[in-house]
Amino acid sequence: CYIQTANNWYAELRYNYENEKTFTFYGGKTFSGGNDMEYTITPMTGFSTGRFTGVSFAANIDAEWKNFYFSSQTQYSVNVKKKDSSAIKNNSGNFFFSWSELGYNVSDNFYTGLATQYTLQTGLNEFKPGFMAGLHFNKIQLPFYIFSPFQRDRYFILGLIYEYSHAGKK
């Protein structure tokens, strides 16, 4: 879950994202602009504790032009615990991860496009291309992803996103 203030300060809390049984807190500030093409960039730093304990440097990047959009969440995470064979065995060493999407808003309620995941870690250099589609109604989104669709190790992700805005007292 995340929160963004009226002054564009950003905070995000994750669980089981960097690794199983791991909490991560990110903080940063969002910058936005553009005329024909609008963009937002949120550089962040984070701290994780649990199976993976470390610090992360990350960025969320979004851009929109007409009915097209690009979105990317990228991070580099550094394990601050002593490196040993169990860190590699538990996938808790340093790593780079990116999830990117290039999509098209077909209508106000339907979007589709391409998605990729890329992970670079000790013993792992993995690129997973895929497809996505989703429905959008008011403040609710239902995204659906299929990664490595033409491989035996294909997998699916179904999401539920609810966006809530709170207007503060004036």
Side-chain angles (χ1 to χ4, degrees):
C1 69
Y2 75 92
I3 186 170
Q4 186 166 318
T5 69
N7 295 332
N8 290 328
W9 289 102
Y10 180 93
E12 184 173 321
L13 182 64
R14 301 176 179 177
Y15 182 68
N16 281 350
Y17 191 87
E18 280 69 18
N19 204 332
E20 293 176 359
K21 299 179 183 177
T22 300
F23 279 100
T24 304
F25 174 79
Y26 282 95
K29 185 166 173 97
T30 299
F31 303 92
S32 59
N35 293 321
D36 289 339
M37 184 177 84
E38 297 178 0
Y39 66 89
T40 61
I41 300 172
T42 308
M44 302 176 289
T45 56
F47 179 75
S48 301
T49 186
R51 183 175 276 182
F52 176 84
T53 300
V55 294
S56 296
F57 305 95
N60 292 342
I61 300 170
D62 296 290
E64 292 184 23
W65 177 70
K66 298 186 179 183
N67 287 338
F68 292 94
Y69 69 91
F70 172 77
S71 176
S72 181
Q73 292 184 317
T74 303
Q75 72 184 76
Y76 180 71
S77 297
V78 179
N79 185 341
V80 296
K81 286 189 174 179
K82 181 180 175 186
K83 309 283 190 290
D84 58 23
S85 60
S86 68
I88 295 170
K89 179 180 166 188
N90 294 324
N91 289 330
S92 58
N94 301 348
F95 66 92
F96 172 84
F97 178 76
S98 180
W99 178 312
S100 298
E101 301 176 4
L102 179 61
Y104 183 77
N105 293 307
V106 177
S107 70
D108 289 342
N109 302 103
F110 179 72
Y111 58 92
T112 188
L114 305 172
T116 64
Q117 292 184 29
Y118 177 69
T119 305
L120 180 61
Q121 185 175 20
T122 303
L124 181 67
N125 184 357
E126 188 172 72
F127 176 72
K128 298 280 187 174
F131 300 104
M132 61 149 184
L135 299 173
H136 187 263
F137 298 101
N138 294 323
K139 297 182 178 195
I140 297 174
Q141 286 187 55
L142 294 168
F144 176 77
Y145 300 87
I146 179 171
F147 287 99
S148 301
F150 307 111
Q151 306 294 321
R152 288 182 157 224
D153 65 343
R154 77 181 64 86
Y155 57 97
F156 305 91
I157 298 173
L158 177 64
L160 173 62
I161 301 168
Y162 177 75
E163 191 167 320
Y164 172 77
S165 298
H166 174 71
K169 293 181 183 179
K170 291 186 177 186

